[in-house]
Amino acid sequence: MIISNIMSLIKTTDGIRVQDVEHQCGVAQGYFSRVDKKGTERKIPIGIIASVSDIFNVSIDDLVNKNLFYEQRMKELQDEMDRLRKEQDGRVNHS
């Protein structure tokens, strides 16, 4: 889950690439991909987890224990629903 969370954070953050995060964490380019391809996440050192936590301003607990992609997607859907409700309310009030 940690690698999928890292990848989700990268994908949803403008202007940051996987290799940028790897560099900031002090690991070789392709590290996250290699860890992900193992089929099971090997133990990722706490220093790397802490660095990712700092880069994205998320808690280590969230990074390790939550599905951040799911939570981000749910937030996006909620925002879209709120926008549509406001749009619909505007049409109703102008009728």
Side-chain angles (χ1 to χ4, degrees):
M1 184 171 345
I2 296 169
I3 294 298
S4 62
N5 280 340
I6 293 169
M7 294 307 180
S8 292
L9 289 166
I10 291 168
K11 288 177 184 175
T12 58
T13 304
D14 290 334
I16 194 159
R17 302 171 303 163
V18 174
Q19 54 265 41
D20 298 331
V21 176
E22 290 170 332
H23 178 75
Q24 290 180 41
C25 290
V27 297
Q29 187 171 340
Y31 174 82
F32 295 134
S33 178
R34 285 190 299 278
V35 170
D36 192 36
K37 287 182 182 174
K38 295 277 183 182
T40 62
E41 289 184 354
R42 63 182 193 205
K43 293 181 182 177
I44 300 172
I46 189 65
I48 294 172
I49 295 170
S51 293
V52 171
S53 172
D54 290 342
I55 292 166
F56 293 104
N57 196 29
V58 297
S59 72
I60 291 173
D61 184 56
D62 286 354
L63 190 59
V64 172
N65 295 314
K66 289 187 177 180
N67 183 334
L68 298 178
F69 173 78
Y70 172 79
E71 290 190 14
Q72 177 64 31
R73 186 67 184 129
M74 291 303 294
K75 182 186 178 313
E76 290 169 359
L77 290 171
Q78 185 63 49
D79 291 347
E80 180 66 10
M81 287 175 54
D82 291 345
R83 185 190 67 76
L84 291 171
R85 280 190 196 107
K86 287 178 185 175
E87 187 178 294
Q88 185 176 13
D89 288 347
R91 283 192 209 137
V92 170
N93 291 336
H94 286 90
S95 299

